[in-house]
Structures are given as structure tokens and as C-alpha cells.
Amino acid sequence: MNDAPMKRSGQSLAEAFQNDFLIGAAVNHRTIVSQSGLLKQHYNSLTAENEMKFESLHPEEHLYTFDRADRIAGFARENGMKLRGHTLIWHNQTPDWVFEDGNGGMAGREMLLARMKSHMDTVVKRYKDAVYCWDVVNEAVTDDGEESLRPSKWLHGIGEDYIEQAFRFAHEADPEALLFYNDYNECNPGKREKIFSLVKSLLDNGTPVHGIGLQAHWNLYDPSLDLIREAIERYASLGLKLQVTEMDVSVFAFDDRRTDLTAPTAEMMRLQEQRYKQFFELFREYKEVLTGVTFWGAADDYTWLDHFPVRGRKNWPLLFDTEQRPKAAIKGIIGM
Ligand code: HAH
């Protein structure tokens, strides 16, 4: 449809990086239809944005709902795309029943561990042939302060070893799957060191963890290239594979609350093009450790950043515009 110029040049994003790393997009049950052509042309890996989260797959103790996740797995298989699993253990989008004992109290350690294990056995085994890697634990580390682990119902109910236990259960369920620890603000030096220490301690006690996911929810100004490079170097020093798992480049600075724009400014698009080019030049330098770059969406017609964190504000963070046409940024990257 709108992608004629790219088709003529025969260049797709995934092809341009076929000797470097996978190029992925987060999808949902609607976008595998509305963005189907774009996804098939430019991406060779997918992640379910929400459909494989605990609350989507396992809303009640004795009820699993696989339909939407199955459709995404089917779309990936039919089109020969890889699929990342997202996410098994997280403090968000996990139903309350998980943490309750059914008698008005909170579930204790043994009950929580049993639920964690049975959820993973069911989910990880079901998608064994479809999913090649899982975000086993998402966002377990705090952003600020001295504390390392985020206060969460998993931490409170099980104790500090809940992360290690999660990786062991996932590994038992599918010994072939590559298991990732995934987090955001991953280039912030304070948080970076907490993530580094957490993963190092997991490795030191023999926990099956194979990679670190850098979410990469970045913007036009932050983080700096130097901080991104330092984070990659630091995590790579653990001897693990790295993936960029949820990339987008918001056109708004972190504390910018403006809501007046109906389209991005020319200056925003210029800066975004420049940033994307710099990011991909850096990623290529690290292609030996970086095995995938996944965007948290495919085109600006749908992004989780619309209305988040500022209500009523649209964002334009991806490489394809609201009409699913390639932005200037993509030509810079492909022609690199
Ligand atoms: C990510 N969190 C999650 O990993 C992903 O599952 C979700 O769809 C979107 C973003 C990033 C995040 C957040 O949700 C809230 C505050 C800070 C960062």
C-alpha cells in the first residue's frame, strides 16, 4: 500500500540487519491485522504486547485464556518470524487472586511458589515450539534509593529468592528457551548497577539466566549515547546475550507535559532521525552480544505512549508514521 518506495529498493529493515540481529515489533491481537503487511515486510521477530502477560493468560486460578496469544503465535509461525515471550513474573498486570489465599488472607510462600511453577509449566510448555526466549522476570529492580529490589507482592510473599525460583521453574518447563531478565531505565547508572549486581548474583549461584533485556524506552534527549554504551559494556561483561526489547523514542522529554500537538514538529522528526541513526550505529558495533532489537510497536498509528504518561497526548516514537509509511529515520538506518 504505502510502502512502494521501500519495496522497489527491496530493502526491509529486517533484511538490512540480517547479518547483525533480529528486528522485532510488539504486536497485539488488533495490530496483527491492522499492521499485517508492514510487519511481514519489515520485521522478523514479534513480541505480544499484553497477550502473554499473567492477567491475559490466567485471569482466574482455574481459567486459562489462550485465544489471543495463540493467534499471535500463529501469525509468527505462518510468517516464519521468531517470537519472544513477554512476560512471566511481573508486579503489574498480574491478577489479585495470585496473591490471595482464598480465605481472606494473603497467599504464603509455598502457595505462591506452587502457583508460579504451575503457571510457568502451563504457559512455557504450551508455547515451547513458538517462543524461543522468555522475559522471565520483568522490572524487579527499584529506580531510586538504596533498596535494590522493588517492593512487590512477589517479593513480599516469597522473599528475595523469588527471582531465582522463577528462572529455575522456567528452565524446568523448557530447557531450550533462552531466559531473560528485562528492565527499563536500564542505562541510568544507579539502576544499571543494581541490575548488574542482581544478574551477577543469579549467575554466581548457578541460576539459569541467559540474557538481559534493555527495554530502551528512550526519548529525543535521554539517555546519552555514552550512557547507552556504558550500559551495554557493563551488562555484556557478565558474558550474557543482550537484547533491546521494547524500544521507542518518545518525542517528548521526560518532564514535558505539553498536549497541544496534533503532529510532531519538523524539529522533533529531525532529532528523532538523528537519534535512531546513532542508536543503530552503536547497536551494530555490539552485534556480537546484541541478538535482537525489538520496538514496542511497529508504526505510530498505535503506540502505548499515546496517552501515557500524559493523558490526551499522542506520541510518534516509532520508525513508521501514522499511515504506516517509512519515516525519514528509517532511510537513514537502512542506508547506513
Ligand atoms: C513496559 N514497562 C512493560 O515491560 C511492558 O510490558 C508494557 O507493555 C509497557 C512498558 C515500562 C514502564 C511502565 O509500564 C511504567 C512505568 C515505567 C516504565
Side-chain angles (χ1 to χ4, degrees):
M1 31 180 255
N2 300 314
D3 39 16
M6 306 295 299
K7 274 228 168 87
R8 252 199 313 280
S9 73
Q11 266 292 42
S12 90
L13 194 51
E15 276 168 23
F17 291 94
Q18 62 188 349
N19 297 322
D20 306 312
F21 34 72
L22 295 166
I23 297 286
V27 296
N28 60 49
H29 64 283
R30 286 181 298 267
T31 60
I32 54 170
V33 179
S34 64
Q35 299 179 332
S36 158
L38 182 75
L39 292 165
K40 290 185 216 174
Q41 192 187 349
H42 286 285
Y43 300 87
N44 53 15
S45 177
L46 299 179
T47 306
E49 181 189 12
N50 293 303
E51 286 78 351
M52 292 190 174
K53 290 172 180 171
F54 210 125
E55 70 171 7
S56 304
L57 290 177
H58 199 173
E60 295 169 30
E61 180 155 24
H62 301 291
L63 175 68
Y64 280 93
T65 43
F66 292 121
D67 181 55
R68 288 176 173 181
D70 285 356
R71 270 187 266 156
I72 291 173
F75 183 86
R77 190 183 51 244
E78 284 156 24
N79 295 296
M81 295 157 151
K82 298 274 200 182
L83 186 60
R84 300 191 80 255
H86 176 83
T87 177
L88 295 167
I89 298 299
W90 190 25
H91 63 280
N92 265 334
Q93 291 180 259
T94 304
D96 289 338
W97 72 259
V98 175
F99 305 104
E100 293 165 356
D101 70 359
N103 290 314
M106 296 306 281
R109 174 178 163 92
E110 293 313 316
M111 184 179 265
L112 278 175
L113 284 172
R115 284 177 175 166
M116 186 188 259
K117 178 164 174 57
S118 109
H119 175 80
M120 288 204 199
D121 272 340
T122 306
V123 170
V124 174
K125 287 197 169 107
R126 181 181 186 91
Y127 295 109
K128 225 176 186 347
D129 297 327
V131 166
Y132 80 103
C133 74
W134 274 100
D135 291 329
V136 177
V137 176
N138 199 31
E139 305 176 354
V141 164
T142 52
D143 286 279
D144 307 302
E146 293 298 299
E147 214 57 56
S148 174
L149 295 185
R150 173 192 300 278
S152 76
K153 290 179 181 172
W154 288 115
L155 176 63
H156 185 75
I158 296 177
E160 293 202 349
D161 65 330
Y162 87 91
I163 299 169
E164 172 187 341
Q165 300 281 1
F167 279 93
R168 294 195 191 282
F169 292 150
H171 187 62
E172 280 163 26
D174 180 4
E176 313 266 290
L178 298 175
L179 306 182
F180 279 72
Y181 175 76
N182 191 50
D183 216 327
Y184 68 92
N185 278 353
E186 69 293 322
C187 297
N188 172 289
K191 189 162 176 186
R192 178 193 77 207
E193 289 309 302
K194 294 184 198 175
I195 295 171
F196 175 88
S197 302
L198 168 66
V199 177
K200 183 170 190 311
S201 70
L202 292 173
L203 288 168
D204 287 346
N205 67 16
T207 306
V209 50
H210 311 113
I212 297 180
L214 293 75
Q215 288 189 7
H217 292 294
W218 298 338
N219 66 46
L220 297 182
Y221 315 98
D222 289 304
S224 70
L225 283 178
D226 284 348
L227 284 183
I228 298 170
R229 182 185 294 278
E230 283 170 28
I232 292 174
E233 293 272 349
R234 187 71 168 142
Y235 297 140
S237 75
L238 290 167
L240 296 165
K241 292 300 180 195
L242 307 183
Q243 293 203 354
V244 170
T245 52
E246 307 186 11
M247 186 176 200
D248 37 37
V249 181
S250 167
V251 300
F252 300 103
F254 180 70
D255 51 6
D256 187 343
R257 317 291 293 178
R258 72 185 287 187
T259 55
D260 58 316
L261 291 177
T262 53
T265 66
E267 178 65 358
M268 285 171 169
M269 290 299 91
R270 189 186 69 77
L271 288 171
Q272 193 182 52
E273 177 179 350
Q274 198 176 55
R275 289 279 275 168
Y276 266 122
K277 190 163 195 301
Q278 294 166 339
F279 295 151
F280 276 81
E281 278 166 1
L282 185 66
F283 295 163
R284 251 205 184 121
E285 279 187 56
Y286 289 96
K287 65 177 189 178
E288 303 309 325
V289 284
L290 189 65
T291 58
V293 175
T294 293
F295 295 85
W296 212 237
D300 290 343
D301 56 335
Y302 171 75
T303 158
W304 75 295
L305 291 174
D306 288 345
H307 317 292
F308 180 86
V310 176
R311 269 174 66 188
R313 182 183 74 180
K314 180 156 178 60
N315 211 323
W316 300 273
L318 298 163
L319 284 175
F320 296 87
D321 69 14
T322 54
E323 306 296 318
Q324 301 181 14
R325 291 172 307 215
K327 290 156 100 169
I330 205 179
K331 299 190 190 85
I333 291 175
I334 287 184
M336 218 162 71

